[in-house]
Amino acid sequence: MPSQNLRDDADKYLMQTYSRQPITIVRGRGAKVYDLEGREYVDFVGGIAVNVLGHGHPDLVQAIQRQAVQLIHTSNLYYTEPQVKLAKMLVDHSFADRVFFCNSGAEANEAAIKLARRYGHERHGPGRFEVITMKNSFHGRTLATLTATGQEKVQKGFEPLMPGFAYAPFNDFGAIESMVNEKTAAIMLEPIQAEGGVYVADRDYLRHLRDLCTQQDILLIFDEIQTGMGRTGTFLAHEQLGVKPDIMTLAKGLAGGVPIGACLAKESVAAAFTPGSHASTFGGNPLACAAALAVCHVLLEGKVLDQARRMGEYLAKGLADCKDRHRIVKDVRGLGLLQGMEVETDARAVVADALARGVLINAATERVLRFVPPLVITQPEVDKLIDLLDILFNQRPTAGKDSHH
Ligand SMILES: *Cc1c(COP(=O)(O)O)cnc(C)c1O
């Protein structure tokens, strides 16, 4: 079997940082992908919330093709059109006034952390450097961002961690209020903790955080790397949560699958970066920015966002109904097309069984299934997922509230 040879070579030649599912994906269309043997899968992973327009979206493909012919890369020693147009597009549709481009989520968060420290130093002196992040958060795998990540399993073995971070329990305003001190430069959080198991921030909590930050000139940083780009049914998740940050990071869905990251900030904050403060060779390159521009055009035109909102509600309802049918399902939570289902069984085994039956899902934790499909997912595709979950839960020991199946 050719895919077996490929897997053998992967075992031999790649650093073993991932435990992969046993399929080789060769192409995709919309919310479906196909493996080397031609088997079809409905894709509820979407490249981990990256393929917002689905696979093979004509506008995205065409933008990449055109830009590839025109100019792929020149560095930031020169101006390029796609980068400036994309920055303007993001500024026009957010709280922000300026954008820094890089190549990944971790790098976007690095930029945010550096910007916050620089701002803190300039405004309040060198003692102002601490960033408070949340327990159970996820911000990336570089040394600074794994330190920002409030999960021991991500940090273990990489000590010493970066100084200047502290961790607060999520959605607990009293706790963070008592942690803030003269060292605090920023509070950084995901509007929805995604990798940590899909926990949505309370509106009141965010409002209190915003007020606290404003009063004490502490920067509020939203990591919208997973929640942004239409994922929750609005262009940015915080539009629904009633609070604006001072700094925000984007990556994952921003260019629909082409690597890119962005750190956005208000003018007063962005001014802390001056020529030489920060840089990236590939950051904002024309190819990635042309792809991101195409994604932004499609999303902001409206139809795909409408679909994301409708299908988000449909998926949430389908999962909630599924919960009512199965004792094994403990909770369903999320916003739009970022949904999590907590199960009282091995989530990874459910993922493997679903794969064998032609549906890609992912386990955010040992107990939480996560659904982050392309925003162009359709009703029959969601139905297929729910039907499959019913079958898989009925097979499991404690399955079924109604035993008449
Ligand atoms: C994926 C993710 C990151 C890290 O992005 P990379 O591109 O993998 O570096 C950071 N924050 C959040 C919220 C994410 O979901």
Side-chain angles (χ1 to χ4, degrees), residues 354-371:
L355 180 85
R357 290 169 176 266
V359 176
L360 303 186
I361 54 179
N362 157 265
T365 71
E366 276 162 35
R367 287 281 182 266
V368 179
L369 299 167
R370 175 181 41 179
F371 310 95

Side-chain angles (χ1 to χ4, degrees), residues 100-115 139-142 144-145 188 225 249-251 259-263 273 278-284:
F100 175 84
F101 289 112
C102 49
N103 315 288
S104 69
E107 255 188 282
N109 285 338
E110 286 272 347
I113 293 162
K114 281 182 72 175
L115 183 59
H139 297 297
R141 301 289 197 147
T142 62
T145 58
M188 176 170 177
I225 287 166
T249 51
L250 293 174
I260 190 170
C263 174
F273 272 173
H278 197 45
S280 164
T281 298
F282 291 124

Side-chain angles (χ1 to χ4, degrees), residues 147-163:
T147 304
T149 294
Q151 298 189 54
E152 261 168 45
K153 68 171 194 234
V154 173
Q155 300 171 337
K156 197 163 166 281
F158 299 112
E159 299 84 354
L161 301 179
M162 287 275 301

